[in-house]
Structures are given as C-alpha cells and as structure tokens.
C-alpha cells in the first residue's frame, strides 16, 4: 500500500489531507504491522477525515460504524434475518412435517429439529453489519469506528477479539477470521477514558488543533478563493479564539466554512463588523459568542488606540499581535 512515510504524506496530500510526519509515520506503521490506529483529540481536527482520505488514497472502500450509547453486536457485527427464516419454515412446512413424522414424542421431535438447525442458522440467513463486512470483504477495506468513546464499555470489551486477531465468534457458526485484515481507524473525542485493554491493541495517536502554519496551508488548499491577506487574518483570528475558554472551539471544518462564507461575501480582509456579522459560522453557543465578541471588541479597541506592542496587561492583546506576526511571515 505504501513504500515509505513520505509516500503516505504525498498520497494523503493528493486527497487534500495535510499531515505532518508524525501522523504519516503512525499510518505507515499501522499498515505495515496490521495494527488498528486509535486517534484521540477534540472534535473537528481531522480524525474522521483521515480515514476518508486514507481510503481514497489507497483505492479501498470505506466502511463506517458510527458509535453511540446502546450500540450492540446486532448493529455492529451481525443479526439473523428472522423474516427470511420464517418464510423458509413456512414454505418447507410439509418437508419439516415429513422429517419429524417418524419421531415419538416432543422431545424426540425437538432433538431431530436441533440436528438440522444449521440449515436455518447459516450464512444464508445472516445480515452482515460493518465489522463483519470488513472481515469478509475480498478486498480489505478501511474500517472507521467513529467516536468509540460514545459507545458503552461493554461494546468496547466486545471489540477486543476483533482488534487483536481480526476475527469474531458467532455461536451458531463459529469463528470468522479475516483473510486480509482491514485497515482499522478508531476515533475518540475524549468524552470518556477508554480502557487500557483497547489502547494496548492499537497504535495511539493524539491530534490537536493545527498550528497556524498548517491551518493556513489547509485554508489555501481547500478554500482557494481566499486571498492571502484574508487567509492570514482569518487563521490568526481562529487561533486567537481557540485560546479562549469556550464550550466548543471552532473546528477546522468551521474555519473552512468561514473562509468560504467570506469569499461569498466578497470580503478582501477581516474587520470587527465582519467578524460580528459572520460569527454564527464558527461559534455555536450563545455564551461562547458573548466571550468571542468581547474578545474581538477589546482587540479592536486596542488596535484603534494605536497600540503597537503587547503589554501583557490585557488578555486579548495576542489576537492582533498574531495577525501582525502572520503578515510578517507571509510577506
């Protein structure tokens, strides 16, 4: 799949996924060692996108299981197609009658049926769910177990056999093992601590919000209509907002939504009024909006007063200081 770490970076970049060498190294090792990858980090930093980009870069199908509280084996692994089984028993009713006819008593009839139950509990009556689809696929896919931290601990324990040996046990059939292990990506937003047993079975990767340089590269790549000045100011503002104590910090996706919105509005650069008018694109809670507005207004006042260098006395000084730094860097 990949011959080198640099090839991982190049192929992911070909899918417009920007990553550093650390992330590329983990992906490379996961593929070479047939190990699942557990990616932890805040929402919206590119964890799910990595699985999508990896599938596209390697030409493999992507099978996704969105985890949630109450998720069980029937939704994740398999379930029996009871309607089809019932239909077959009705159609074969006469045949079944002939088969148990010679028996004497219920106990003997039940034993005779039990000997034949594999007819109705075979792969023909099995509905494959995402994990079993990944195991039985002729071409190994990329399997995304998204937001595993939302699932119950019991489901996490259920995954251990699969993550260790790429196999599952179905009582009526036996053990089903993958001939070609899928590439497995698990993501977690850290809403709860995952078990040590699960972590031991995976290569572990922490992803945080990108640095200004990386985020600027992402904006240039995925929002090409944004001018250089606007891109610098936008990324500087987003990075500054993330330094606030918010319930939800803007994700990379929201950075791109904001960039595209500003392009639609024909904005050549950012100013206080424009930030306030478009704040709903990046901030999702009223309390967060109030904090960001206070931050933006305070920063603008500092700028209007002609403050050239930060004094360290005001919390919001760093916002426009960051803008000046990125402009210097860009030009």
């Amino acid at each position: 799949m990949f011959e080198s770490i640099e090839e991982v970076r190049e192929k992911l970049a070909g899918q417009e996924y920007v990553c550093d060498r650390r992330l590329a190294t983990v992906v490379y090792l996961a593929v070479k060692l047939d190990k699942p990858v557990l990616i932890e980090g805040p929402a919206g930093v590119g964890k799910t996108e990595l699985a999508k980009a990896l599938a596209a870069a390697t030409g493999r199908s992507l099978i996704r299981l969105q985890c949630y509280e109450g998720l069980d084996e029937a939704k994740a692994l398999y379930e029996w197609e009871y309607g089809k089984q019932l239909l077959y028993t009705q159609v074969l009713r006469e045949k079944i009658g002939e088969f148990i006819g010679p028996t004497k008593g219920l106990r003997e009839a039940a034993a005779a049926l039990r000997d034949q139950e594999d007819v109705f509990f075979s792969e023909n009556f099995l509905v494959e769910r995402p994990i079993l689809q990944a195991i039985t696929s002729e071409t190994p896919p990329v399997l995304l177990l998204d937001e595993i931290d939302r699932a119950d601990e019991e489901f996490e324990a259920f995954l251990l056999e699969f993550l260790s040996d790429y196999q599952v046990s179905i009582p009526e059939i036996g053990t089903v093992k993958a001939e070609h292990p899928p590439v497995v990506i698990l993501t977690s937003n850290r809403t709860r601590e995952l078990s040590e047993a699960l972590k031991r079975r995976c290569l572990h990767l922490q992803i945080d919000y990108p640095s200004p340089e990386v985020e600027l590269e992402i904006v240039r790549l995925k929002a090409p209509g944004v001018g250089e000045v606007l891109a610098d100011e936008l990324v500087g503002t987003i990075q500054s907002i993330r330094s606030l104590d918010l319930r939800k910090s803007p994700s990379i996706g929201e950075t791109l939504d904001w960039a595209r919105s500003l392009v639609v509005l024909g904005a050549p650069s950012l100013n206080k009024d424009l930030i306030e008018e478009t704040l709903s694109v990046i901030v999702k809670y009223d309390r967060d909006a109030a904090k960001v507005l206070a931050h933006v207004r305070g920063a603008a006042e500092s700028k209007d007063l002609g403050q050239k260098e930060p004094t360290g006395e005001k919390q919001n000084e760093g916002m426009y200081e960051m803008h000046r730094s990125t402009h210097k860097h860009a030009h």
Side-chain angles (χ1 to χ4, degrees), residues 1-20:
M1 184 185 294
F2 298 113
E3 296 302 323
S4 66
I5 296 170
E6 283 308 312
E7 187 181 0
V8 175
R9 296 187 70 179
E10 290 172 4
K11 288 194 172 181
L12 290 178
Q15 301 302 318
E16 299 187 345
Y17 189 91
V18 179
C19 70
D20 57 18

Side-chain angles (χ1 to χ4, degrees), residues 216 220 227-236 323 326-327 330-331:
L216 190 58
R220 287 170 176 157
E228 283 298 310
V229 172
L230 180 59
D232 281 349
E233 293 178 343
L234 180 143
V235 169
H323 290 185
T326 52
H327 279 303
H331 301 289

